[in-house]
Amino acid sequence: MTSVLRLPSIVIEPIVRSALLEDLGKGGDLTSDAVIPHDHMATLALRARQPGIVAGLDLAAYAFLLVESTIEMQMQRVDGSEVAAGETVANVSGPARALLTAERTALNFLCHLSGIATATAAIVDAVSGHKAKIVSTRKTTPGLRALERYAVRAGGGANHRFGLDDAMLIKDNHIAITGDIRTAIERARAAAGHMVKIEVEVDTLEQLDIALEAGIDAVLLDNMSVEQLTQAVAMVGGRAITEASGRITAQTAPAIAATGVDLISVGWITHSAPILDIGLDIAVDTSMNRLLN
Amino acid sequence: MTSVLRLPSIVIEPIVRSALLEDLGKGGDLTSDAVIPHDHMATLALRARQPGIVAGLDLAAYAFLLVESTIEMQMQRVDGSEVAAGETVANVSGPARALLTAERTALNFLCHLSGIATATAAIVDAVSGHKAKIVSTRKTTPGLRALERYAVRAGGGANHRFGLDDAMLIKDNHIAITGDIRTAIERARAAAGHMVKIEVEVDTLEQLDIALEAGIDAVLLDNMSVEQLTQAVAMVGGRAITEASGRITAQTAPAIAATGVDLISVGWITHSAPILDIGLDIAVDTSMNRLLN
Amino acid sequence: MTSVLRLPSIVIEPIVRSALLEDLGKGGDLTSDAVIPHDHMATLALRARQPGIVAGLDLAAYAFLLVESTIEMQMQRVDGSEVAAGETVANVSGPARALLTAERTALNFLCHLSGIATATAAIVDAVSGHKAKIVSTRKTTPGLRALERYAVRAGGGANHRFGLDDAMLIKDNHIAITGDIRTAIERARAAAGHMVKIEVEVDTLEQLDIALEAGIDAVLLDNMSVEQLTQAVAMVGGRAITEASGRITAQTAPAIAATGVDLISVGWITHSAPILDIGLDIAVDTSMNRLLN
Amino acid sequence: MTSVLRLPSIVIEPIVRSALLEDLGKGGDLTSDAVIPHDHMATLALRARQPGIVAGLDLAAYAFLLVESTIEMQMQRVDGSEVAAGETVANVSGPARALLTAERTALNFLCHLSGIATATAAIVDAVSGHKAKIVSTRKTTPGLRALERYAVRAGGGANHRFGLDDAMLIKDNHIAITGDIRTAIERARAAAGHMVKIEVEVDTLEQLDIALEAGIDAVLLDNMSVEQLTQAVAMVGGRAITEASGRITAQTAPAIAATGVDLISVGWITHSAPILDIGLDIAVDTSMNRLLN
Amino acid sequence: MTSVLRLPSIVIEPIVRSALLEDLGKGGDLTSDAVIPHDHMATLALRARQPGIVAGLDLAAYAFLLVESTIEMQMQRVDGSEVAAGETVANVSGPARALLTAERTALNFLCHLSGIATATAAIVDAVSGHKAKIVSTRKTTPGLRALERYAVRAGGGANHRFGLDDAMLIKDNHIAITGDIRTAIERARAAAGHMVKIEVEVDTLEQLDIALEAGIDAVLLDNMSVEQLTQAVAMVGGRAITEASGRITAQTAPAIAATGVDLISVGWITHSAPILDIGLDIAVDTSMNRLLN
Amino acid sequence: MTSVLRLPSIVIEPIVRSALLEDLGKGGDLTSDAVIPHDHMATLALRARQPGIVAGLDLAAYAFLLVESTIEMQMQRVDGSEVAAGETVANVSGPARALLTAERTALNFLCHLSGIATATAAIVDAVSGHKAKIVSTRKTTPGLRALERYAVRAGGGANHRFGLDDAMLIKDNHIAITGDIRTAIERARAAAGHMVKIEVEVDTLEQLDIALEAGIDAVLLDNMSVEQLTQAVAMVGGRAITEASGRITAQTAPAIAATGVDLISVGWITHSAPILDIGLDIAVDTSMNRLLN
């Protein structure tokens, strides 16, 4: 638990608000409003049903607060920390109606982002001892990119460019349409701002050679074998950042990291990671005096 | 390929618009704008890299159209149809810059929703021959519930209530806070509109008995064994809709369906399904004359 | 004054915000800003000028709070309670400028919703002693449906489906286009989720017979005479919910309720109810020590 | 049918969009999607069930178009024209599903605004022959002020200021808080822009005298008797615009108009007018060749 | 420093929120998050680097508060007051990260609006001693009109109509299209509400004569020489408000004011005023005990 | 007139829509609606009143189209091209009412952005012959950053980072709070993604030396004299990008460019550039057959 991860509240608040409205509709929580007396207070525990890495506690907190501003959420974990099965990540106290109304939205964020953090951590662990960083891609769930990138960081990973407008990545289709890789790089360089880095996807060592001559900042070595990657890293010789990509998993990652690449980009940690199962239980954790802040 | 699945454009258009802005930022696609001549036209193929069920073609179409209104998308599949690895689901033609700018957003929708449809179809197939329908839950990705429910239908599944305001589902926490299941049901019935159905989660056959006496519309049989489910279905005897739930997979579903339950609700098809991998290729499918409208 | 009626603040806050901006424009309240010293404090009374049922106090409160967060509103009535002419429903205290700036918006909500609650109560009273519930329809003022449905509940009525997506109602036009009522019901049943009820509009007893055979959940008996309704209720014999509709007023409602129908749906309580006249007076009610909450 | 009334499409389009989403929810029209074949085309008639003045045809047209852009609406009346019971105001042609999906939203706008136009026309007719104009107030339905003011114009009325920021109206509460009417007018004049007119509410002829001395632009003569109004108009002698207000109806308006006031402001035409009942029928009007473009 | 200038918070808060999101993007402040420890507190001074008139302090305050609600801003000036080079206008205290994150947005508002106030004050000063008021036009920066009009008032100026819908201004193009000025005025008068003033642009004394005969409220004397203005003012003789316009600067304004016109409208104070340079310094002003408020 | 500059329509359309609503209010253009017959067609010319560089034609086009979709705009210039005083940049044809309604919004965008392009071109010209590029800063008008950066490019300049989230710039306050420049750079590097460049502001050659040792990507040489800049550029020796800043004008820029710096960043081109005066005239340019596109 080193640094404190945070997303700006001005960014996450409208996302949580929309998600709540999606669940509440226009009529609100018919069941809780009917069944739970309006003055019934409760304390519930957000408790992991699987081991993993927690991410998204602020999102969950906003879900509860936006339904009822008097709810208090006491964190037992911070984003990026491990949790074992059965352990409590936070307790929430307040009007029982509001707690149950916000429950699903809070959990949908928390489970989804913790799932991404957990998946990221697995592959980060797999390459530990190597210099390669695990980075996420733009293959994210529509509307949640900022949150999912954050969850990747919570899991120990790093981020590639946010979107199309903050860095240049010349991909295979760009090259195919342009006709040759050299022209594509030259056009990119002519148009790029001085704070914009340029990366190019290369499929062969010939392309890599041209890209290096053109003074590229980074190369995306797509779907190369371990042998090719080893050769490519040697060819680059530190002149550019090297990034391996192409359906890399926790199983295949160690061998790829061993080639000496700087980065391994992994799409599935954002587009296909299963959730980390976290539920809301009535029984309160007796370890509540171990509260973090 | 029976009926035509559609979501209202007034619902999906703002979701696609937001997703595009997330990727385009304020500056647009730096790379394509720099590298691709503005008057270069192209036809690209959306092609499956895995077999599965397609869902989300309208979303993809909107992504292209919102970037450039002259792009034409010719569908080779409709939502809900199967696609084999290597087959083309649609071709898109227009200015190459715009095609590449919209590519990732289009694919993020299409791969995510096709992943859900494919996962749904797998479990729907597993229970074929039984009357049990596969239904999705409220465990959806924040912001995408309408789309994900649609993808479940494309995969042959059905939907539970949309949100907290269109049906009542009395869950374990409601009962625990109320004190007893009978009181909870009575309160719900007193408050419910005449078009609102009431379902209650029961963990034991004793609770089931009380619920049936109270004339409940549907019972959620949570985490019951196959034996318990068989007993429960017999006890209900057609007086209420029976729904089984609790981490049910394509492996465990057939035995559960065989108990005679009406519904099997499955969270993971919306919260943990991996994407169906679909890419955008320059080479055009030669079967383009087989176009569906 | 039994249960506590509330709409989620996350639902009502943006509606009040929009209404305020409609009145404030971009320049704010030219008159109050010019005429009232900025540090002048006042207490004003929201006072009924007619007898009726109050609804919308939270909306009024939000109007004042969104203009000036230090304003305090002390409720003398809760939504759903009666008020006599001349009685105070709430007092508001704070900067006089802000009170006058928010006045019209607060009153527009309060008078409109109280008008609906009062109209609803009149017809609810007219059928007291009968089992028939008074229900509202989708004939609501654009943008205010959630609020108007709430006001109906405050007046003692109940609600029909919220909109097109939370229940099925097969109307005359659906049947006419489909060709026959049986086919329409069968198509609806095949498509409906298990939590979705189906109602069908019937104009004749023949249609009613078909609908009952098809196992419909509810029947809308449109524009039937008291005699027809009596026959229809007998024919249904408890197998479906019966709903009478068609320009029913407080005058005609008792006879209709006497037929034994379960529901009487009334469009005019939401689309044509006159406001309940409530004004903002400077003189403070001396009964302020009877404050609730 | 004189001039062509129009509201900017940029103003009305988002209002109709919101209203549609309120009715469609996230799932769309469950009934029509299930019951009506997707390729069934139809022509339906918007037909008045009562005589009155039509207003809101553009709003209805947007409701249909936003659901399905291929729908065509052929107008048989323009806003501001009379319609008799049974007459068709417009025909709509297109996919039957979409027509039924948009029906309620289209009618909710059209009936509400036509109700306001009809109520306005009744009181405008009552004062015909007098110079007094009928003007609407800020007592409008939240969110619909621009539309309701437009409907008043369609009914032959005129508008007071739009909101708090486009003119000054010093009301009784402003004067009470300020202490005296002269000071209030002086403060207003000192702050007003040169294009901003100032009106003051006066309850007595003494106040009127002070206001005229102060060179006021307009006076609001609130709740005065016909005798008082006659005296007031004489006192003003053309030096300011005179406006009568205070629960004026079509019955009381002629006598008030006869006093020679310039304006009669009427709250109930916007806050309490019943709808004009207009429905959507399948049978098409045979007079369709009399179409007004 | 007489009255207290304020814009409604409900108007300015969303504008500041949008501006912050424009700078923060989706990822927030990469630099400050990386470089500044999360618990480092600081007090910084907003300090003028040039003499001028301050405007926009509330906007700056919102920028800081929306990033971090615990930041405190202690004002040393109020909007409309003078500041010398080197003087502090406000101090802000709180987490250093958040202070630096909000800095640019806060300053962009403050410098822009103070620039407008300063430019306005210069020309207001130039005409002091004359009755002419300096008024702003609709030539404002898109999205910021309410703020810029406010800044003009902070600089001692006044405002013309807000937009197209709160007053009538018949311009040269209107007259050219209508054919003659008299017809244009008559049409305007027939359509205008009683609280709407009508102004007409006149280029010649002949046009002025017609406008006065038609009883116009105000005349815009566009691009007239000092001689023509003098004649025009004499011709008007107090029967209408006279407004001079046409590239008037602080240099030319005194002679124009001396003609006796009521208003001088100046576009450049909103569309071309340079900013007032204000920066954020770490060293705290020692005069902090002179705090206002 | 080389490459074609464009901003994504999905980015600019909502900005123009907001600006139009700001001017139209809720009631629309009172004057044009009253004075201009609804069926009067016209062709007007957007004509420069000063020489300069045009930028923002698409924005102007959107303003006209969003008011009335049948308006046609024929471009005589493209963004980035020069225009002389009196020359026409575009003609617009359509209903005269709509043309006049959209006029001010169209011109406010076009004049503001053309002003920025013209200011940029002046300083770009001043440094021609040197390698230094002119770059804009984050000192932009709130809400218009994407447009203003675009206008800078139209004027021949380049852009710095868009906002806080797409590159790192360690400024003097960051260093002061961190304590030393080396630590700040190290922290930045540890946190930066591989596509994120890091720049640091240095005030002295000692700081420059540390930054170069730390392998910084770019250095911001703030407020240095020409002598210092010359020394700094020599010290850097191509190891990092060099950027000069600090109130640089077209007068001082040539000497600074001559020092060999890579970039000159200029705040005033976005925050203080006066507009380029462009008006809308009824007389049509006879050179209309020279139309582009």
Side-chain angles (χ1 to χ4, degrees), chain F residues 2-69:
Chain F
T2 55
S3 79
V4 176
L5 285 159
R6 296 301 284 271
L7 276 172
S9 60
I10 203 172
V11 168
I12 63 178
E13 196 262 12
I15 298 176
V16 180
R17 190 176 289 273
S18 291
L20 273 174
L21 288 173
E22 191 183 44
D23 201 24
L24 287 168
K26 300 266 167 96
D29 183 354
L30 300 184
T31 314
S32 300
D33 286 356
V35 168
I36 310 289
H38 75 95
D39 54 359
H40 190 107
M41 306 300 285
T43 296
L44 305 184
L46 291 157
R47 198 171 283 159
R49 312 220 185 290
Q50 297 176 287
I53 304 296
V54 178
L57 284 165
D58 274 0
L59 283 294
Y62 264 99
F64 289 109
L65 282 173
L66 286 170
V67 169
E68 170 55 57
S69 60

Side-chain angles (χ1 to χ4, degrees), chain E residues 22-23 26 28 30-32 35 104 108 138 143-145 164-165 169 174 178 187 247 272 275 277, chain F residues 22-23 26 28 30-32 35 104 108 138 143-145 164-165 169 174 178 187 247 272 275 277:
Chain E
E22 190 184 45
D23 201 24
K26 299 268 167 94
L30 300 184
T31 314
S32 300
V35 168
R104 187 75 263 139
N108 282 352
R138 283 168 49 245
L144 301 183
R145 186 173 290 170
L164 294 167
D165 70 332
L169 174 48
H174 292 109
T178 310
R187 286 182 184 161
R247 300 171 179 255
S272 294
I275 63 161
D277 195 1
Chain F
E22 191 183 44
D23 201 24
K26 300 266 167 96
L30 300 184
T31 314
S32 300
V35 168
R104 188 72 265 141
N108 282 352
R138 283 168 49 243
L144 301 183
R145 185 171 292 171
L164 294 167
D165 71 332
L169 174 49
H174 291 110
T178 311
R187 287 181 183 163
R247 300 169 179 255
S272 295
I275 62 160
D277 195 1

Side-chain angles (χ1 to χ4, degrees), chain D residues 120-134 156 250 253-255 257-258 264:
Chain D
T120 302
I123 191 161
V124 166
D125 286 351
V127 302
S128 76
H130 297 286
K131 74 170 174 188
K133 282 187 189 172
I134 301 300
I264 297 176

